[in-house]
Amino acid sequence: MSRTHVTCTINGDEVEFLCEDDTTLLDALRDEVGLTGSKEGCGTGDCGACSVILDGALTCACLVFAPEVDGGTVVTVEGIADGNQLHPLQQTFLEGAALQCGVCTPGFLVAAKALLDENPHPTETEVRYALAGNLCRCTGYDKIIRAVLAAADYNGSEG
Amino acid sequence: MIRVHFGQALRDLTGGLADVEVEASTVRELFRTLDTRFPGIGERLEHGTSVAINGEIIADAVYEALPADAEVHFLPTLAGG
Amino acid sequence: MAIIEQDTTNPGFKWIGTRPIRPDGYEKVTGKARFGADMMLPGQLEGAVLRSPHAHARIVSIDTSEAETMPGVKAIVTGADFPDLKEAGAGAADVDLAVNIIARDKVLYEGHVVAAVAADTRKQAQAASKAIKVDYEVLPHVLTVDQAMAPGAPILHPGTRTKNVEPAPEEDSNVVSRVVQQLGDIDAGLAAADVIVERTFTTKPVHQGYIEPHAAVADALPSGRVHVWCSSQGHFAMRTMTSTVLGCDPTRIKVTPAEIGGGFGGKLVIYLEPLAARLSQKTGRPVRIVMNRDEVFKGTGPASGTKITVKIGATNDGKLTACKSELFYEAGAFAGSPVGAATMTMIAPYQFENLLLEGYDVLVNKPKVAAYRAPGAPMAAYAVESVIDEICQKIGMDPIELRLKNASVEGSQAAYGPKFPKIGYVETLEAIKNHPNYQIPLGPNQGRGVASGFWFNAGMNSSATVHLNEDGNVTVVVGSPDIGGSRASMALMAAETFGIDVARVQPFIGDTETVGFNDVTGGSRTTLATGQAVTEACEKVKADLMARAAKTWNCDVSEVEWVDGQVQKLDGSEPPLSMAKLARGWGRTGGPVSATASLNARGVGSAFSTQVCDVEVDPETGVVRVLRYLTAQDAGRAIHPSYVEGQFQGGVVQGIGWALNEEYVHTEKGTMDNPSFLDYRIPVASDLPMIDTIIVEVPNPGHPWGVRGVGEVGIVPPLAAVANAVSNATGCRLTDLPMSPMRVLDALNQKSNGGNGH
């Protein structure tokens, strides 16, 4: 079997990998590139645990074929911190106990970052609807929503 | 005297009796005394039964000491999720 | 600099009651934490599982010959590759476990494992599994308790005779056993009532819905040992069960716990581990098997579907006189529904003198049920709390007042026999009653519902080891997987015991070879039991260090004391010795400092919760919107309040999903119609308001810190709280869950057509 060669930018780094034509971006990230932060919760785009930002758009990596990403830009949970400096969302998730088991957390962080990048001061309702594509079974969402709002406020106070 | 209460699940072995009073200073002694009186009950009590002694539920209680005049209930070993 | 302001409640404690960042948190927010499917070993093969498409069938033959020749395939296993435990005379539970892992002569549910394949890639393994030819003789199936108990119903396990019924049955049945709780005289109790309400309720199977599917990696070593990585709620239990199915000693299996992406009871059992282990043994290479979501729904245990009739009598001034109930719980394909626990918990919040509760464990052709947070209790509480609510409506009494009037207190007799020790039920009722939420006026189509619940909580076995390190800090090794922040709680309890900054405590979850035996993380037991072991191990280290200090000062140990992480001479004649200093001198005073505590936890405290839910029902669509939700739960003592609140909130939202949306839908052929998160609808963020919490603290006298388990009871009241709110809003009493929009609309239409709204 021959595999397809893909070159793309992941979290700011140029990355190359081999995959089959029907390998999902999620499987390529996890099995070929070694970035296991994005999770498979359902494989059908219903849970958001595999959320990545692909060419600037929030996307479920399980719904994208890896060869489609050739020449593109991907941001995963491993890339949202600034070196050793946590993103405010990562900080507020920790301080606000917005994770219990933590498996949905990468997807939520990416989706929340996508939201705040576009809408820096969302209302609670806007946050809830923006994150409606991310399932969490542990928290009941309360502390997640509070952490996103706190990160938005913090960004605001930074000017 | 130890006041022993049998749940419904054990009453087929006690001939329908719900309560008895016996002398025993340990749970092991209690099981043996009860088994003499109600043959077969010892085996049931030794496996898969928790014992409540004065309200405190204890799993694997067979070597526990029994305070004087204790009240004892038998419960199925409880599981959670 | 913190972004979020902390709010701490600690009566006289320095660390307990604070909200530090959890020690494993940084890995979890940066994608570095390794969950079950994240392990990759050199040379690893990938597995796929072949599952029955039929709800009930005899396996006539399995032909793997073509599959074996397919590209990349290295090994295939079927039931024949595992010991026959029935023949070996093993106990019924072990036999059922082994047959559930992989079918032998029959498949008993859609999704039942028939074979497993290991190949170079998952795609190759899946293709090969599809090429395995299985000849089935399809048999008739049963999907509900009514079908299972109907005369002439197909029998899942021939030879099953219902236990604990008089007279002893002479025919095979799908009813495995009957369990009874009895008090007083039920007929007299009902006769003494002024008002009696009787209703029959049905609930559907619901899945625990953990976002992480099951995954396991097994590496069979040449020495005969097997190393397994899996996420689970208890790696020692996984070791025990895997060894049982494989037919080897547990000591030969090492299980390393991965981080776990949710369990709620569903990961207290094994599914993939023996398959991966046997494939690894056959190939000599590590094998990884991961379930997809379809397999999780079809192949792993949901919570029981149920049919429950409850009849309660009360006087006109609100005194409950009697409760009679018949409960039928689906066990799935093998015996063991939690109907017994249901009978023991359903009326625990109330003092009843007359009770007759009869529960039946019923086999159906569906996956073997697994525990789901307070297993058995939510469905029975739905029934009892709904009937009590209807009684309140009939006699015109406030639902909190009626509960206060009948509340179990210290010394009340529980349905299952013993008297309650110190409990905090009344405090949860008062907390709701006194909260502003309870007074908020309701608008049109809005309603308020109250419900209470109880869970025993477990004790069981835990072992922990505490090491003093050269820098004076400590490593705390436990064997309890961390589902919801327990590492943080262990660190706080250790910090409090030593009187040192929690940052100086490094918690670690050891594998089955680096820490003593531990029972599972479940049953609301971890903070209590593992916390006891950690505390005791810390106390041993303290005692050892005081002895070392006494040796250093050449005095008796009675002349020294422990204060804030240091040993001091009572007479102050020497400067204190810090833990670091004592560590540096350990060679001279006896050697390194380390202590283990292993115990079967005592002093378990039970938990109560009372909850109030406000809803708005759309009369045109039947959609129920939760406007406000408040829960008050007795935690005994909240070690880390944020994670305690998190357990409350998580349980509540699972209960809301159970009440409003979630259900297994089956076709007539016995196959699952909605095995995806699209069609099996769990609550999402836009469905919900904030979940307000009140941590009630009635400390448990049996625990060094007063802890009561908090993980489970939160899911017990919501089914009824939501149903009671819907009843209050619409005048319709819904007795069939979930209250999806269609069912609510049907009830509303029936009511407006002159029906009784039932």
Side-chain angles (χ1 to χ4, degrees):
Chain A
M1 92 210 110
S2 71
R3 307 223 288 164
T4 301
H5 181 258
V6 176
T7 308
C8 59
T9 304
I10 303 181
N11 298 329
D13 294 328
E14 185 173 284
V15 172
E16 295 176 58
F17 58 85
L18 293 176
C19 64
E20 301 194 31
D21 284 339
D22 59 353
T23 302
T24 64
L25 172 60
L26 178 62
D27 284 342
L29 286 169
R30 290 174 52 79
D31 295 337
E32 304 299 336
V33 185
L35 291 171
T36 57
S38 307
K39 310 294 179 198
E40 176 169 321
C42 71
T44 53
D46 296 311
C47 76
C50 64
S51 297
V52 297
I53 299 177
L54 172 59
D55 295 334
L58 181 66
T59 310
C60 282
C62 70
L63 294 179
V64 176
F65 287 126
E68 292 182 60
V69 169
D70 192 53
T73 305
V74 182
V75 177
T76 71
V77 66
E78 289 96 337
I80 66 174
D82 179 10
N84 283 335
Q85 179 74 26
L86 290 181
H87 188 283
L89 280 166
Q90 291 168 310
Q91 189 70 29
T92 59
F93 266 57
L94 288 175
E95 290 171 3
L99 56 145
Q100 285 180 36
C101 79
V103 81
C104 73
T105 303
F108 268 99
L109 287 169
V110 171
K113 175 181 150 57
L115 166 68
L116 293 184
D117 285 348
E118 192 187 298
N119 178 358
H121 302 291
T123 63
E124 180 188 332
T125 303
E126 286 172 328
V127 174
R128 287 185 177 278
Y129 276 87
L131 297 180
N134 290 75
L135 299 182
C136 174
R137 198 53 161 168
C138 293
T139 67
Y141 306 102
D142 181 296
K143 292 181 188 296
I144 292 176
I145 305 302
R146 290 181 199 275
V148 176
L149 291 169
D153 281 346
Y154 175 70
N155 276 334
S157 72
E158 287 282 271
Chain B
M1 293 293 263
I2 308 295
R3 273 159 302 150
V4 182
H5 304 276
F6 300 105
Q8 198 275 347
L10 290 167
R11 290 186 203 161
D12 60 322
L13 286 171
T14 67
L17 212 52
D19 313 280
V20 296
E21 286 201 353
V22 298
E23 287 283 8
S25 54
T26 67
V27 171
R28 171 173 249 188
E29 211 187 301
L30 177 66
F31 287 176
R32 286 191 183 144
T33 308
L34 292 174
D35 195 58
T36 309
R37 195 156 156 186
F38 309 113
I41 207 173
E43 167 96 34
R44 253 292 188 105
L45 294 174
E46 294 249 357
H47 303 287
T49 301
S50 294
V51 180
I53 302 174
N54 289 335
E56 183 185 354
I57 301 176
I58 302 169
D60 303 314
V62 66
Y63 299 118
E64 288 296 311
L66 285 169
D69 300 327
E71 196 148 352
V72 169
H73 291 84
F74 301 116
L75 305 159
T77 304
L78 309 166
Chain C
M1 192 212 83
I3 299 176
I4 296 184
E5 289 299 320
Q6 302 292 19
D7 155 43
T8 65
T9 56
N10 36 338
F13 294 121
K14 249 183 143 152
W15 294 104
I16 284 176
T18 62
R19 301 173 190 247
I21 290 179
R22 59 194 284 175
D24 54 321
Y26 295 94
E27 280 80 58
K28 289 188 171 158
V29 298
T30 54
K32 295 279 194 275
R34 296 209 156 243
F35 291 81
D38 297 336
M39 172 56 68
M40 288 199 72
L41 292 175
Q44 180 170 294
L45 298 170
E46 302 289 341
V49 176
L50 177 67
R51 296 175 183 274
S52 166
H54 303 294
H56 196 194
R58 205 173 322 273
I59 298 176
V60 177
S61 65
I62 304 179
D63 178 5
T64 62
S65 53
E66 185 194 329
E68 283 168 38
T69 64
M70 288 177 67
V73 172
K74 297 295 190 286
I76 300 181
V77 294
T78 66
D81 290 287
F82 295 85
D84 184 335
L85 293 190
K86 194 165 180 181
E87 211 179 86
D94 284 348
V95 173
D96 285 350
L97 167 68
V99 176
N100 194 38
I101 294 297
I102 190 162
R104 313 301 160 114
D105 54 348
K106 272 214 305 186
V107 289
L108 289 155
Y109 56 96
E110 182 207 21
H112 198 168
V113 175
V114 175
V117 179
D120 288 326
T121 70
R122 200 175 324 146
K123 195 173 162 188
Q124 289 169 333
Q126 283 164 347
S129 73
K130 292 196 178 94
I132 297 175
K133 298 185 188 47
V134 185
D135 191 9
Y136 293 105
E137 180 202 327
V138 178
L139 301 170
H141 59 269
V142 290
L143 296 177
T144 65
V145 296
D146 286 336
Q147 288 175 6
M149 298 188 300
I155 300 294
L156 269 76
H157 296 279
T160 305
R161 300 282 165 94
T162 312
K163 290 200 274 276
N164 200 28
V165 292
E166 292 288 327
E170 293 183 3
E171 284 187 5
D172 286 356
S173 171
N174 289 317
V175 181
V176 178
S177 60
R178 169 176 168 267
V179 65
V180 180
Q181 308 295 342
Q182 214 167 7
L183 273 180
D185 177 342
I186 190 65
D187 295 320
L190 288 169
D194 297 318
V195 58
I196 293 180
V197 173
E198 180 175 15
R199 293 271 191 192
T200 299
F201 301 83
T202 54
T203 73
K204 313 294 178 301
V206 293
H207 198 272
Q208 300 83 349
Y210 30 84
I211 304 302
E212 179 208 27
H214 300 258
V217 176
D219 188 14
L221 303 166
S223 59
R225 289 178 57 206
V226 180
H227 193 173
V228 176
W229 285 262
C230 60
S231 72
S232 76
Q233 290 178 245
H235 36 299
F236 289 88
M238 302 305 115
R239 179 179 74 169
T240 305
M241 288 184 274
T242 302
S243 69
T244 298
V245 176
L246 290 176
C248 68
D249 289 335
T251 303
R252 303 291 159 232
I253 299 180
K254 170 173 175 166
V255 183
T256 299
E259 296 300 329
I260 171 175
F264 315 113
K267 291 185 180 157
L268 290 170
V269 287
I270 53 171
Y271 293 103
L272 300 172
E273 290 77 357
L275 304 174
R278 191 64 95 214
L279 285 166
S280 181
Q281 285 171 333
K282 273 188 146 181
T283 59
R285 294 179 47 185
V287 175
R288 173 170 71 175
I289 313 184
V290 181
M291 283 197 202
N292 61 36
R293 183 54 55 179
D294 186 272
E295 291 178 283
V296 173
F297 277 119
K298 291 178 182 166
T300 71
S304 305
T306 68
K307 182 174 175 181
I308 303 172
T309 302
V310 166
K311 183 175 187 174
I312 297 183
T315 62
N316 279 327
D317 60 346
K319 177 92 189 76
L320 298 171
T321 63
C323 177
K324 184 173 183 187
S325 178
E326 225 181 15
L327 305 90
F328 297 94
Y329 273 52
E330 292 174 23
F334 300 90
S337 80
V339 68
T343 63
M344 292 163 78
T345 58
M346 59 201 285
I347 51 84
Y350 312 108
Q351 298 190 49
F352 273 100
E353 283 168 12
N354 306 293
L355 282 181
L356 177 58
L357 313 172
E358 296 175 275
Y360 298 87
D361 190 34
V362 183
L363 297 166
V364 293
N365 291 106
K366 293 180 186 173
K368 180 184 200 313
V369 298
Y372 182 15
R373 219 162 192 164
M379 314 75 136
Y382 163 53
V384 166
E385 298 290 313
S386 293
V387 168
I388 288 181
D389 191 64
E390 198 166 348
I391 287 174
C392 290
Q393 287 170 341
K394 283 196 145 74
I395 65 177
M397 191 165 181
D398 173 86
I400 302 250
E401 291 306 326
L402 183 139
R403 287 173 171 82
L404 281 167
K405 190 177 177 117
N406 293 274
S408 293
V409 294
E410 185 174 356
S412 303
Q413 177 162 32
Y416 46 90
K419 296 196 173 36
F420 281 115
K422 195 167 179 61
I423 54 176
Y425 176 46
V426 166
E427 286 80 349
T428 68
L429 290 166
E430 302 279 6
I432 298 290
K433 180 175 163 183
N434 297 329
H435 192 280
N437 276 22
Y438 202 58
Q439 308 305 328
I440 295 177
L442 295 166
N445 299 313
Q446 294 183 356
R448 174 165 296 147
V450 170
S452 295
F454 163 83
W455 188 251
F456 315 91
N457 299 337
M460 299 163 68
N461 299 287
S462 281
S463 189
T465 302
V466 175
H467 306 296
L468 177 66
N469 300 312
E470 318 97 286
D471 53 10
N473 299 326
V474 292
T475 302
V476 172
V477 186
V478 299
S480 297
D482 185 348
I483 317 184
S486 51
R487 280 183 186 90
S489 304
M490 299 307 147
L492 285 166
M493 286 184 276
E496 193 72 51
T497 306
F498 282 116
I500 61 177
D501 192 313
V502 70
R504 289 176 54 189
V505 179
Q506 178 65 56
F508 173 68
I509 302 174
D511 61 42
T512 54
E513 291 182 350
T514 53
V515 68
F517 186 91
N518 275 265
D519 277 318
V520 294
T521 295
S524 310
R525 65 170 293 269
T526 307
T527 313
L528 180 120
T530 299
Q532 276 180 22
V534 167
T535 302
E536 198 177 300
C538 292
E539 292 288 359
K540 285 186 182 179
V541 168
K542 275 167 64 176
D544 190 358
L545 290 176
M546 286 197 280
R548 309 289 184 111
K551 191 165 189 172
T552 306
W553 290 324
N554 197 25
C555 67
D556 188 81
V557 73
S558 60
E559 297 173 59
V560 310
E561 60 173 351
W562 185 281
V563 177
D564 289 341
Q566 302 186 112
V567 188
Q568 296 179 172
K569 256 195 118 180
L570 283 162
D571 68 13
S573 62
E574 297 272 4
L577 282 169
S578 66
M579 287 164 72
K581 239 185 167 147
L582 286 162
R584 283 199 288 278
W586 67 33
R588 292 194 295 264
T589 58
V593 178
S594 191
T596 294
S598 299
L599 46 82
N600 189 341
R602 299 280 299 268
V604 177
S606 296
F608 288 87
S609 175
T610 300
Q611 304 179 0
V612 61
C613 173
D614 291 348
V615 302
E616 184 173 297
V617 181
D618 185 325
E620 289 183 43
T621 62
V623 169
V624 176
R625 186 159 192 85
V626 177
L627 300 172
R628 273 176 295 278
Y629 207 103
L630 172 65
T631 172
Q633 184 175 325
D634 178 16
R637 177 91 65 211
I639 303 296
H640 192 309
S642 301
Y643 291 108
V644 169
E645 289 159 356
Q647 291 299 314
F648 293 10
Q649 294 165 328
V652 160
V653 170
Q654 286 179 317
I656 290 173
W658 199 330
L660 291 178
N661 295 103
E662 295 178 40
E663 60 179 313
Y664 268 54
V665 179
H666 280 88
T667 66
E668 273 180 16
K669 288 171 64 181
T671 57
M672 189 182 178
D673 222 0
N674 61 335
S676 76
F677 275 137
L678 181 65
D679 297 318
Y680 181 91
R681 178 69 163 66
I682 75 175
V684 302
S686 51
D687 293 330
L688 299 164
M690 295 295 183
I691 309 296
D692 298 322
T693 59
I694 304 171
I695 301 180
V696 169
E697 287 184 324
V698 175
N700 169 17
H703 188 271
W705 306 113
V707 162
R708 294 177 194 274
V710 297
E712 292 171 287
V713 70
I715 202 178
V716 180
L719 281 59
V722 178
N724 292 342
V726 170
S727 168
N728 186 241
T730 62
C732 299
R733 177 66 56 185
L734 273 85
T735 57
D736 179 29
L737 291 186
M739 294 175 285
S740 52
M742 289 307 305
R743 291 197 181 95
V744 173
L745 264 186
D746 279 347
L748 289 172
N749 290 335
Q750 264 191 43
K751 176 159 174 270
S752 62
N753 292 340
N756 63 2
H758 169 154

